[in-house]
Amino acid sequence: MNQDDSPSPIVIVDAINHYYSGAAVAALKNISLTIAEGCCFGLLGPNGAGKTTLISLLTGIISPQKSVQTPQGRIQISGFDYPSDAAKIKAVSGLVPQDYAFYPALTGRENLQFFAGLYKIATADVVARVDYCVAVCGLENVLDQRAATYSGGIKRRLNIALGLLHNPKILYLDEPTVGIDAQSRYFILQAIQQLKASGMTIVYTSHYMEEVEQICDEVAIIDHGEVLLQAPMAALLQNDRQLVITPAQPPLPEALALLQQVGVAVWDGEHLTLELGDGRTLSEVLVLAEGAGIVVNKMHFGSSSLEHIYLQATHRKLRQ
Amino acid sequence: MQLLAIIRKELLLLCRDLHGLLLLFVMPVVFILIMSLAMKGDFDRRSGVRLDVLVADLEHSIITQNMLAKVAENEQFNLIKVADLDTDVDVELAIKKDRYSFLVTVPEQAFTEQAAGVAVADVLVAPATSPAVTQLFFATLTYAAAEQNMGLSIKALQEYSPDLKGLDVFSDSKRNEGLVSTRYAFSAKEEAKAPTSVQQNVPAWLVFSMFFVVIPLANTLINERQLGTLRRIQTIPVASWKLIVGKIIPYFFINQIQVMLMLVVGVTLVPLLGGDRLTLGSSVAGLVLISTALSVAALGYAMLIAVVSRTTEQATTLGGAGNIILAAIGGIMVPAFVMPEFMQTFTVVSPMSWGLQGFLDILLRGGGVAEVCPEAGSLFLLGAVMLGLALLLLHRHSES
């Protein structure tokens, strides 16, 4: 990518380490990544990979530990450095936690008014900000009901509305669609697209790969506290010369041996990945595969699925 | 602005917490009413209130009147003639129901017939009358009857021997004064004044209820932690002290409303239900000082419990059980003056006892600001230390 054309980074994380007290293993190990302004950035990783710790550091919930940082270790957000400019960084950041982080005994409006007060939004602007957040999240009809009475989908939407109140430059969404129905998920994804279109930078974590594929411009996969890869979504999914087949039956060893003759063939227990060598066409390879007794159930060509890449990067191991 | 938002939110949450409101306002009112009325009789006896004694004098002679007049000289007993009661009163039933402590029946010709072995008075003792009081009454009545007997004997002797004229047993009673001198091991100071039931129970349960802010206050903080709202708040530039002060201020006013409500209950509701009326003393400033100091201590305790507890169950157990232990030690549940001496000394361990003594200084002993200063100072100091500790722990938790 041409460096001159690329948007300036709004988040720079450079060589950051973090240890929880009493833990033998680092929660974050020499983490480095950048997030471009205005992009939607997917942060992926299994449970316990270090995503929440990283977001907690970026949003100021926990402070960087001086004792475990290398000399070059730093976090810079929107031009401000942690921890010296912590208050300024908090002012430009918004967090939508995975939990329903509001008061169930209060109404939606009372929750919004309370957090507006904490964000020191001027009294004259509170109504306009609340109205904007309510409109983006579709809360008009439930605003004066107690939040405890909301359905899961409405609770998620209120959770997002609260993160938007102070019009942050960067919004962290921690699994905002978990446990809700398809309609609510669609609404929330549309709302996120709308926010992204308005120029807001979005950092998005989710275990739903198709969502991340749909809305994110760039992704980073982290595991065991380390960044395994960071790449633009388009580049990550682009794969001109690879055919990924999901067969009806696992291929026999003879079939694999036959296919190895035309190029690299890898069976991972679920997918058969065939690298097309130069000069081979797709139709030729398909004929060979069918000739080897493989019945194609599903196939990908020219692009990879994010889930496939994710599982490859994290080695498919079941986590505790 | 941030502080106002936090205070408003806390008030809204508290208003919608029915259980919390019941705990803070209804529980102490119920305790005050029940305990003030239930313990009235016992406190009355301790504080020297006269016991009602019904008297049926069937002989109705000068001698029996003199005997009963002698009993009435004892200020402990209030003699009421059965004849003065309404005719439909069943006196034996009234004694059985503890409306009176004793029924004394003097039979017809009691003193003239006594030589034949007939008692000069029959005493029916009410069920709740303590054995000590019964012994005291029995001794008083026996002494009065014996005195009349002695008078009769002297009179008979005088009829046989005119030389004995002038001898009068009754004139000796003056000489009996000073036969026994009394000294007190402790000087009879104002502090030794025993409260009435309502004077003990209103401040006692008021102090108890003020410390119960620990439950709703801790629950809101723990819920914030468990729901993730605290995590969201940590992403907002707001100082830790504002979070604590914003929580404390509404509960401080709740404490002051508790004080006013309980005093009103003691002044109006308890007498309406047959108890004594609470006397308020004369120092409003002293009352404000001790209630403010007590509230600071109660809120410090509540914040500390809230910060160290991880779950609402822990907070309820720690806060609730802690309150009950402090109340048991501090003379709230059992008044300090009925405790053995070593236990009375031990009451000072409980800050509830400091608060109770402060209130009693005002309500019972007529004290003012100067008199409550030691208790108020101790409570302020304790509250400040606990709040400081809570702030420190809260800051440390958020750091880790």
Side-chain angles (χ1 to χ4, degrees):
Chain A
M1 194 180 286
N2 187 335
Q3 203 170 350
D4 293 336
D5 296 339
S6 59
S8 57
I10 190 169
V11 176
I12 299 170
V13 178
D14 195 6
I16 286 293
N17 297 296
H18 194 85
Y19 285 81
Y20 285 111
S21 57
V25 182
L28 296 178
K29 292 178 213 160
N30 206 29
I31 285 263
S32 296
L33 52 82
T34 55
I35 299 173
E37 187 161 11
C39 93
C40 183
F41 189 89
L43 192 58
L44 307 181
N47 293 331
K51 300 189 298 292
T52 303
T53 304
L54 181 59
I55 288 181
S56 297
L57 273 170
L58 297 178
T59 52
I61 293 172
I62 54 176
S63 301
Q65 295 160 320
K66 283 182 189 166
S67 58
V68 299
Q69 305 308 337
T70 52
Q72 71 271 25
R74 67 169 178 149
I75 296 175
Q76 192 183 70
I77 294 171
S78 194
F80 302 119
D81 289 303
Y82 257 130
S84 54
D85 298 323
K88 289 176 184 164
I89 289 175
K90 286 182 177 186
V92 297
S93 308
L95 171 68
V96 178
Q98 189 182 342
D99 300 317
Y100 298 132
F102 49 77
Y103 298 93
L106 304 187
T107 65
R109 188 189 302 280
E110 287 163 348
N111 270 295
L112 287 161
Q113 285 171 339
F114 165 62
F115 282 101
L118 280 196
Y119 280 120
K120 295 188 192 172
I121 296 170
T123 314
D125 300 333
V126 169
V127 175
R129 281 310 301 168
V130 168
D131 286 349
Y132 170 77
C133 297
V134 166
V136 169
C137 297
L139 296 169
E140 296 87 346
N141 297 330
V142 294
L143 201 55
D144 293 310
Q145 291 173 20
R146 289 198 192 172
T149 65
Y150 290 176
S151 67
I154 299 174
K155 283 178 179 170
R156 288 268 164 233
R157 276 141 59 190
L158 175 61
N159 218 19
I160 294 172
L162 292 167
L164 298 174
L165 264 174
H166 61 303
N167 194 20
K169 286 176 81 170
I170 178 162
L171 182 67
Y172 300 88
L173 293 154
D174 193 358
E175 301 189 39
T177 58
V178 79
I180 55 173
D181 59 36
Q183 288 82 356
S184 293
R185 177 173 295 141
Y186 176 77
F187 184 94
I188 287 174
L189 292 178
Q190 290 298 306
I192 293 168
Q193 301 271 31
Q194 189 184 331
L195 293 171
K196 184 180 147 191
S198 74
M200 192 177 282
T201 306
I202 310 279
V203 177
Y204 191 90
T205 81
S206 176
H207 292 300
Y208 300 119
M209 296 298 153
E210 67 279 20
E211 278 181 11
V212 179
E213 255 188 71
Q214 186 185 333
I215 65 168
C216 290
D217 306 312
E218 189 163 357
V219 290
I221 298 174
I222 66 173
D223 197 10
H224 300 301
E226 293 174 279
V227 177
L228 302 179
L229 67 84
Q230 180 186 351
M233 185 67 79
L236 202 61
L237 299 183
Q238 187 180 1
N239 198 339
D240 291 338
R241 306 296 299 162
Q242 206 172 59
L243 174 65
V244 181
I245 294 173
T246 308
Q249 300 286 334
L252 297 170
E254 308 84 71
L256 276 177
L258 185 67
L259 289 168
Q260 294 283 10
Q261 292 172 11
V262 298
V264 178
V266 178
W267 170 247
D268 65 8
E270 194 177 352
H271 307 103
L272 177 64
T273 306
L274 300 170
E275 294 281 354
L276 273 64
D278 288 338
R280 291 278 184 186
T281 63
L282 180 60
S283 56
E284 284 173 352
V285 174
L286 276 174
V287 168
L288 268 171
E290 286 183 338
I294 290 167
V295 178
V296 177
N297 230 359
K298 206 164 78 177
M299 66 180 187
H300 268 292
F301 182 71
S303 76
S304 298
S305 79
L306 185 60
E307 184 167 358
H308 183 64
I309 292 165
Y310 172 79
L311 287 173
Q312 275 192 332
T314 55
H315 304 295
R316 299 172 182 275
K317 283 179 190 162
L318 187 64
R319 308 307 158 99
Q320 294 303 309
Chain B
M1 188 175 184
Q2 287 179 322
L3 199 56
L4 279 177
I6 298 168
I7 291 170
R8 183 173 177 271
K9 179 259 297 177
E10 287 297 330
L11 285 173
L12 282 170
L13 289 176
L14 188 63
C15 288
R16 288 170 194 175
D17 177 10
L18 182 65
H19 296 108
L21 292 174
L22 286 174
L23 190 70
L24 294 178
F25 294 108
V26 179
M27 180 194 75
V29 170
V30 170
F31 266 124
I32 286 172
L33 290 178
I34 292 174
M35 303 307 267
S36 294
L37 298 174
M39 296 168 74
K40 184 177 184 302
D42 194 52
F43 272 80
D44 284 352
R45 279 187 281 280
R46 287 178 186 285
S47 57
V49 169
R50 303 169 81 188
L51 300 174
D52 289 336
V53 178
L54 278 180
V55 178
D57 181 4
L58 302 180
E59 178 171 316
H60 200 66
S61 64
I62 293 291
I63 298 167
T64 57
Q65 285 175 38
N66 282 341
M67 177 185 76
L68 294 172
K70 196 74 194 172
V71 173
E73 281 177 15
N74 188 325
E75 291 177 355
Q76 192 72 38
F77 305 113
N78 175 36
L79 269 54
I80 301 164
K81 289 179 185 168
V82 171
D84 292 344
L85 301 178
D86 292 338
T87 49
D88 58 342
V89 174
D90 181 340
V91 288
E92 294 221 356
L93 188 65
I95 293 288
K96 280 180 187 166
K97 289 189 172 176
D98 281 313
R99 290 191 190 133
Y100 307 93
S101 298
F102 303 102
L103 168 64
V104 180
T105 308
V106 181
E108 287 180 37
Q109 298 181 322
F111 280 88
T112 51
E113 295 287 333
Q114 65 160 312
V118 177
V120 297
D122 172 69
V123 179
L124 179 65
V125 183
T129 308
S130 73
V133 171
T134 304
Q135 289 300 319
L136 172 68
F137 183 70
F138 187 71
T140 306
L141 186 58
T142 305
Y143 176 75
E147 199 176 60
Q148 298 308 313
N149 258 343
M150 195 180 289
L152 286 173
S153 301
I154 288 172
K155 205 172 171 184
L157 281 172
Q158 283 171 339
E159 283 175 11
Y160 286 106
S161 173
D163 294 345
L164 294 173
K165 283 209 187 266
L167 181 64
D168 184 2
V169 68
F170 304 110
S171 64
D172 285 346
S173 60
K174 293 277 180 196
R175 280 198 288 163
N176 290 342
E177 285 178 12
L179 274 180
V180 177
S181 70
T182 310
R183 291 182 306 121
Y184 292 93
F186 297 95
S187 59
K189 288 187 293 187
E190 275 296 290
E191 288 79 10
K193 204 169 169 182
T196 64
S197 177
V198 73
Q199 281 170 325
Q200 162 71 23
N201 282 302
V202 170
W205 296 110
L206 166 57
V207 169
F208 187 62
S209 67
M210 285 174 80
F211 270 80
F212 259 93
V213 291
V214 66
I215 306 281
L217 195 149
N219 282 349
T220 58
L221 189 66
I222 291 162
N223 282 338
E224 278 178 344
R225 213 156 41 209
Q226 289 180 338
L227 290 170
T229 34
L230 198 59
R231 190 171 152 80
R232 190 193 285 281
I233 290 169
Q234 283 171 334
T235 67
I236 302 170
V238 52
S240 300
W241 70 264
K242 282 187 187 170
L243 295 176
I244 288 207
V245 171
K247 278 194 184 301
I248 282 175
I249 287 175
Y251 283 95
F252 174 78
F253 285 108
I254 292 289
N255 273 166
Q256 301 316 307
I257 294 169
Q258 285 180 306
V259 173
M260 285 188 272
L261 179 69
M262 302 312 145
L263 294 181
V264 167
V265 166
V267 170
T268 60
L269 205 53
V270 175
L272 267 180
L273 296 173
D276 295 319
R277 186 176 184 276
L278 178 71
T279 52
L280 292 180
S282 56
S283 175
V284 176
L287 212 51
V288 170
L289 178 63
I290 192 66
S291 64
T292 302
L294 188 62
S295 186
V296 169
L299 292 168
Y301 170 73
M303 278 308 299
L304 196 56
I305 295 280
V307 172
V308 298
S309 303
R310 306 314 299 170
T311 63
T312 53
E313 289 79 9
Q314 270 182 16
T316 309
T317 309
L318 265 177
N323 274 357
I324 289 166
I325 291 167
L326 289 177
I329 295 171
I332 302 293
M333 293 182 166
V334 179
F337 62 85
V338 304
M339 293 179 181
E341 204 170 307
F342 78 97
M343 282 296 290
Q344 286 190 27
T345 315
F346 198 52
T347 57
V348 295
V349 172
S350 167
M352 285 194 191
S353 132
W354 313 344
L356 177 59
Q357 289 309 315
F359 275 115
L360 290 177
D361 281 343
I362 307 285
L363 304 178
L364 177 66
R365 299 167 196 135
V369 170
E371 283 70 26
V372 297
C373 267
E375 291 102 345
S378 308
L379 288 166
F380 273 129
L381 186 66
L382 179 73
V385 168
M386 288 193 290
L387 280 174
L389 206 55
L391 192 61
L392 192 74
L393 289 173
L394 192 69
H395 194 66
R396 193 173 288 176
H397 284 175
S398 62
E399 288 265 297
S400 63

